[in-house]
Amino acid sequence: MLFSELVEYFERLEKTTSRIEMTDILVSLFHKTPSETIDKVVYLTLGVVYPEYVGLELGIADKLALRALKQVTNITDKQLSEYMAKLGDLGLVAETVITKKEQMTLFSEPLTVEKVYSLFEKIAKTTGEGSIDLKIQILAGLLAQASPKEAKHILRIVTGKMRLGVADMTILDALAILYGGSKDVREHFERAYNISSDIGLVAKVAATEGLEGIKKFKISIGKPIRPMLAERLASADEILEKLDGKGMAEYKYDGERMQIHKSNDKIIIYSRRQENITHQYPDVVEEVKKQIKAKETILECETVAIDVNTGEMLPFQELMHRKRKKEIEKAIEEYPVNMFFFDVLYIDGEDFTVKPLLERRHALESILQESEMTRLSKAILVGDKETLERFFEEAVAAGCEGVMVKAVGKESIYRAGARGWLWIKYKRDYKSEMIDTVDLVIVGGFYGRGKRSGRYGALLLAVYDKTRDTFQTVCKVGSGFTDEDLEKFHQMLESLKLSHKHARVESIMEADVWFEPKIVIEVIGAEITQSPVHTCARDKIKKDTGLAIRFPRYTGRLRTDKKPEDATTAEEIIEMYNRQLKKITEAEKVSV
Ligand code: ATP
C-alpha cells in the first residue's frame, strides 16, 4: 500500500471532528488496506508503532527531528527556528521546507506503508551508544524520499504528536461496521480488544478471519488483559442490596495492581495501565516461579510494601522506591513486598474470565502455594450487614483501605476493561491526618531482621489507662529510626529487660522481649483505627476491639521529661478517634 494513500486519509481525518464522519473515513481506509498491512495502518493512525504495552516508543525529540530535517533540506538553523516560531508545528514546518527541497532533488521510488513502518520500527529498536545519530540518519533517509505531505505526518508520528483525534473506540466501531456488518456486533470486537490490549491485532484478525475470527478471539500469554474495575458504594446496606443479599468480601489492599503472565519460567508483570513493570520486581518474578503451580497462567494481585521489622503493610507510596532503576536491589531489601492474589484469568489453555467468581477463586487456590510473600487475598462470603461491617473494620485494622465486595452468582464473570456493579469497593471516605503527635511508652521489642539484625527492628508501644492504671498497647513502630536511634534504644533498653510481660502491661501481642514500662517516645501516625490486636480502649467501642495508630512513625523525640504515667492516655486516643469520626458523620460516636 502506498504511504501517500494513507496520508490522504490522515488529511481527511484531520479535517473532521465528527466521530461519525471519522468512522466512515476509517471504514473506507480499512476497506482499501490489504489484510497483511492493516495492523500497521491502525498503529500509524494512532501515531504509534506498537501497542502501548510493548513499551517501545519512537522517542525522537523535536530538536533531533529538526536536525534530520536540516540534513535533507540544507536549510539554516535560523530559518528553521523562524518557521517553527511561525507555524508552531514540526509537521507543518516539514511540509513547508520539504516543498523547497523538491526543486533540488527528485525523490525516487514512492514510499509504501510497509517501508515507512519498517523504518519506524528500526528507529524504535535502535538503542545504546550512538543510537541517537543512527535514529537521525534513518529519519533523514526517510524524509529524503518523502513528499511534503508525507513528511508532515512522518514527523508528527516520530515525535509523538500525531493527533488525529481517532480513539481506539472509533477504530472498533469502524471494524465492527466493516467486518461485522454493523455497530451492533461491536461488543465482540471490544472484547477482543479488552483481552489483548492490541487493537492492531484485532484489526488483523477481523481482516483475515472476519467476525467469526473475532468471536473466537482468545486470550494469549504476554498480551495484557484490560482490568476489571469496581463501582463504589458507601454503606454495607447498599452494597448487599445491589448484590442481591450476598457476595464475597475481600480485603482491599493498598498497593500496586499487577497482572502477572506466566509461561513456564517466563514471567511478565503488567501494571494497571498495561505497562510492563517486570524489571521493577525481580523478587516477584522469582517468587511466582516458585509458588505458582500452573505452567501457563494469568493472575492478578495487589502488591504491597511491607515493613521488614513489623511485618505490617506500608502506604503504597513506598513502592516508589521500585521506580528508580538504580535502586531496585536496595529497595528489594528495604521495602520487600507481599503479593495478595485475588483473581485468575487463564490457566493452561483455559479461559477463566468467562467463569463465575467462586470458580475462579477455587482455581486460584489450587494453583497457588502460599508463602510469606505470596498470599491469597483475605476473603469471606457475606450475607448480612453485620458480618460485612465487621470484616470491613478488620480490614482497616490490618492496614487496608477497606474491602471489595464481589458478586458471586452465575453472572459474576471477569469483565475485562469494564467498570461495573459486579465488584463494589467500600472504602472509608475520609483520610484524616493525625494532627497531634502522641507520647507512648515502650513496653516490648521485636528482634530486627536484615539491616537491623542484632538490634530491635520494632518496638511495641502503649498508652496509659488511668482508671485501670495499666499500659495498653496501641501500635508496633518500626519507622522513623535512624541507625543511631537503633543503637541508642538497644543500649537504653538493656537494663529494662524482663523475663516476662510486666504486670501493668496489657497486651495480646507477644513481644520477643518485654521491658519495664519506663521510656516515653513521641510518635506520629496517619490515623486511629479499630483493632482486634491492640488493647488500648478495648471493649469501649466494640466488644473485643481496641484502638490502634495506623502507620506510626517515631518523630525522633525521646520524652525524657515524661514519666510513663504522663504518656498519652487511652481516653485521649478515644477522643482523637471521635474527632476523626466526627469529620464524616455525627453518628457512631463513642462515649468516653
Ligand atoms: P479503579 O482501579 O477502580 O479505577 P483506583 O485505581 O483509584 O480505582 P481504587 O478505587 O482504590 O483504585 O480501587 C480499585 C483497586 O483496588 C483495584 O484496581 C486494585 O488495584 C485494588 N485492589 C486491592 N485489593 C483488591 C481485591 N481484593 N480485589 C480487587 N482489587 C483490589
Side-chain angles (χ1 to χ4, degrees):
M1 185 180 191
L2 288 179
F3 188 57
S4 58
E5 286 179 88
L6 180 58
V7 162
E8 277 314 307
Y9 280 98
F10 287 167
E11 291 282 312
R12 283 172 63 191
L13 285 166
E14 198 184 355
K15 289 196 182 82
T16 177
T17 49
S18 141
R19 180 158 170 182
I20 298 176
E21 212 175 309
M22 258 181 206
T23 314
D24 288 344
I25 299 171
L26 289 172
V27 169
S28 144
L29 166 62
F30 296 158
H31 185 62
K32 226 178 169 174
T33 308
S35 55
E36 65 276 10
T37 311
I38 195 164
D39 48 348
K40 302 180 177 79
V41 163
V42 166
Y43 298 135
L44 295 180
T45 307
L46 292 169
V48 297
V49 196
Y50 300 107
E52 214 181 318
Y53 70 84
V54 176
L56 263 184
E57 284 170 22
L58 286 157
I60 294 213
D62 286 9
K63 245 173 50 196
L64 300 182
L66 280 170
R67 255 168 68 190
L69 200 52
K70 218 180 114 195
Q71 278 191 25
V72 293
T73 55
N74 290 329
I75 204 157
T76 63
D77 282 337
K78 187 160 173 274
Q79 281 170 308
L80 269 182
S81 34
E82 276 169 14
Y83 276 124
M84 206 45 203
K86 199 165 107 199
L87 301 168
D89 168 1
L90 252 170
L92 292 180
V93 173
E95 189 177 9
T96 315
V97 301
I98 296 263
T99 312
K100 302 237 163 74
K101 176 211 71 166
E102 254 180 314
Q103 292 138 14
M104 303 174 337
T105 52
L106 276 176
F107 45 90
S108 45
E109 275 187 29
L111 286 171
T112 61
V113 172
E114 294 77 8
K115 170 93 187 280
V116 173
Y117 185 86
S118 77
L119 289 174
F120 280 167
E121 272 195 305
K122 221 166 153 184
I123 293 176
K125 286 182 176 162
T126 303
T127 53
E129 217 182 306
S131 64
I132 292 190
D133 285 338
L134 207 58
K135 281 177 197 261
I136 294 174
Q137 271 337 103
I138 303 169
L139 180 58
L142 189 53
L143 287 173
Q145 297 174 61
S147 73
K149 282 243 173 326
E150 288 172 338
K152 166 175 149 188
H153 293 284
I154 287 172
L155 273 201
R156 284 186 181 166
I157 294 174
V158 294
T159 54
K161 297 202 177 74
M162 181 74 161
R163 297 198 183 115
L164 297 177
V166 177
D168 291 0
M169 294 303 141
T170 320
I171 291 185
L172 289 178
D173 280 347
L175 293 173
I177 293 169
L178 184 61
Y179 300 106
S182 90
K183 266 211 264 188
D184 299 346
V185 293
R186 197 191 119 119
E187 63 178 292
H188 300 292
F189 291 81
E190 211 173 317
R191 171 160 169 88
Y193 174 54
N194 282 332
I195 61 173
S196 67
S197 308
D198 185 348
I199 200 148
L201 178 69
V202 176
K204 188 144 201 172
V205 170
T208 47
E209 298 169 44
L211 181 60
E212 281 318 299
I214 289 294
K215 283 187 182 164
K216 284 190 284 186
F217 197 98
K218 289 205 165 50
I219 287 175
S220 51
I221 300 269
K223 291 198 178 291
I225 297 170
R226 288 160 44 88
M228 177 163 178
L229 301 170
E231 288 286 355
R232 177 184 187 137
L233 283 175
S235 78
D237 269 341
E238 286 172 289
I239 293 172
L240 286 170
E241 198 185 314
K242 199 85 193 173
L243 296 175
D244 290 335
K246 63 175 191 310
M248 183 164 89
E250 288 176 43
Y251 277 15
K252 184 178 185 308
Y253 302 92
D254 188 14
E256 172 154 33
R257 183 171 186 163
M258 288 184 171
Q259 188 175 95
I260 303 182
H261 290 231
K262 173 180 188 290
S263 175
N264 295 309
D265 271 357
K266 172 137 183 60
I267 314 288
I268 308 175
I269 308 173
Y270 290 112
S271 71
R272 184 185 176 289
R273 301 183 40 209
Q274 294 90 55
E275 298 144 312
N276 187 331
I277 51 168
T278 317
H279 62 281
Q280 294 173 22
Y281 294 96
D283 46 346
V284 170
V285 169
E286 286 315 306
E287 183 71 7
V288 167
K289 281 188 206 166
K290 273 193 264 160
Q291 306 304 131
I292 305 295
K293 286 179 277 178
K295 269 197 195 132
E296 290 210 314
T297 181
I298 301 175
L299 305 148
E300 282 199 327
C301 68
E302 188 81 0
T303 293
V304 183
I306 299 291
D307 184 317
V308 230
N309 287 294
T310 61
E312 283 168 11
M313 292 190 264
L314 291 170
F316 86 102
Q317 289 89 332
E318 300 295 0
L319 291 172
M320 279 311 291
H321 299 279
R322 300 291 183 128
K323 311 264 179 260
R324 298 189 198 106
K325 249 188 189 154
K326 290 195 185 117
E327 292 176 22
I328 289 174
E329 285 307 315
K330 206 169 122 207
I332 290 174
E333 217 173 275
E334 289 176 19
Y335 299 93
V337 293
N338 279 2
M339 290 107 71
F340 296 94
F341 285 86
F342 58 81
D343 223 319
V344 62
L345 315 184
Y346 178 89
I347 305 176
D348 295 332
E350 206 176 339
D351 179 353
F352 272 73
T353 63
V354 293
K355 300 183 192 277
L357 179 70
L358 294 181
E359 210 174 309
R360 301 204 301 279
R361 178 81 186 187
H362 288 140
L364 177 64
E365 286 169 8
S366 72
I367 59 165
L368 180 147
Q369 195 174 327
E370 284 198 284
S371 70
E372 200 178 326
M373 191 174 162
T374 304
R375 316 266 181 98
L376 284 161
S377 65
K378 186 144 188 203
I380 58 164
L381 287 171
V382 289
D384 64 280
K385 180 184 155 193
E386 292 69 33
T387 313
L388 179 52
E389 286 293 2
R390 216 177 314 121
F391 191 67
F392 173 82
E393 291 299 346
E394 188 192 305
V396 172
C400 292
E401 280 184 296
V403 291
M404 295 287 269
V405 195
K406 302 178 180 176
V408 288
K410 264 204 211 106
E411 76 292 358
S412 63
I413 57 166
Y414 185 95
R415 298 198 51 220
R419 188 182 294 284
W421 293 103
L422 290 175
W423 285 12
I424 303 173
K425 52 192 176 195
Y426 180 23
K427 297 202 262 192
R428 279 163 326 145
D429 39 10
Y430 62 98
K431 260 257 176 316
S432 62
E433 288 284 312
M434 248 173 79
I435 332 160
D436 290 341
T437 54
V438 284
D439 300 318
L440 306 173
V441 190
I442 303 176
V443 297
F446 300 88
Y447 296 129
R449 292 170 51 180
K451 258 177 49 182
R452 292 193 182 170
S453 59
R455 295 169 178 169
Y456 295 113
L459 299 172
L460 184 60
L461 304 181
V463 293
Y464 177 58
D465 184 301
K466 260 193 214 149
T467 33
R468 295 164 69 91
D469 189 27
T470 55
F471 297 96
Q472 303 172 335
T473 72
V474 71
C475 65
K476 206 168 149 185
V477 65
S479 6
F481 298 101
T482 62
D483 285 348
E484 292 83 67
D485 289 336
L486 292 174
E487 189 52 44
K488 188 171 71 189
F489 280 110
H490 194 73
Q491 285 173 17
M492 262 184 343
L493 291 165
E494 199 53 36
S495 59
L496 301 177
K497 267 188 186 169
L498 303 170
S499 58
H500 48 79
K501 188 171 75 186
H502 192 277
R504 282 173 72 206
V505 170
E506 294 185 73
S507 177
I508 297 171
M509 257 186 198
E510 274 302 320
D512 292 336
V513 185
W514 293 107
F515 304 117
E516 190 186 330
K518 203 151 199 174
I519 301 176
V520 180
I521 63 173
E522 189 182 78
V523 165
I524 181 92
E527 61 186 322
I528 317 276
T529 60
Q530 295 187 17
S531 161
V533 294
H534 286 290
T535 50
C536 167
R538 195 167 173 83
D539 294 334
K540 290 252 166 90
I541 291 150
K542 223 185 242 176
K543 196 160 168 1
D544 297 335
T545 302
L547 290 177
I549 295 170
R550 188 175 188 216
F551 300 143
R553 161 176 283 272
Y554 173 50
T555 63
R557 275 187 77 189
L558 197 62
R559 299 298 308 255
T560 42
D561 55 330
K562 286 200 166 182
K563 286 193 297 206
E565 288 79 9
D566 297 326
T568 301
T569 60
E571 283 75 9
E572 282 174 290
I573 299 285
I574 295 177
E575 264 169 37
M576 288 170 92
Y577 180 70
N578 271 339
R579 272 207 301 277
Q580 234 175 239
L581 280 187
K582 214 158 133 196
K583 281 194 189 154
I584 353 161
T585 155
E586 283 295 315
E588 276 191 72
K589 233 181 153 182
V590 179
S591 54
V592 179

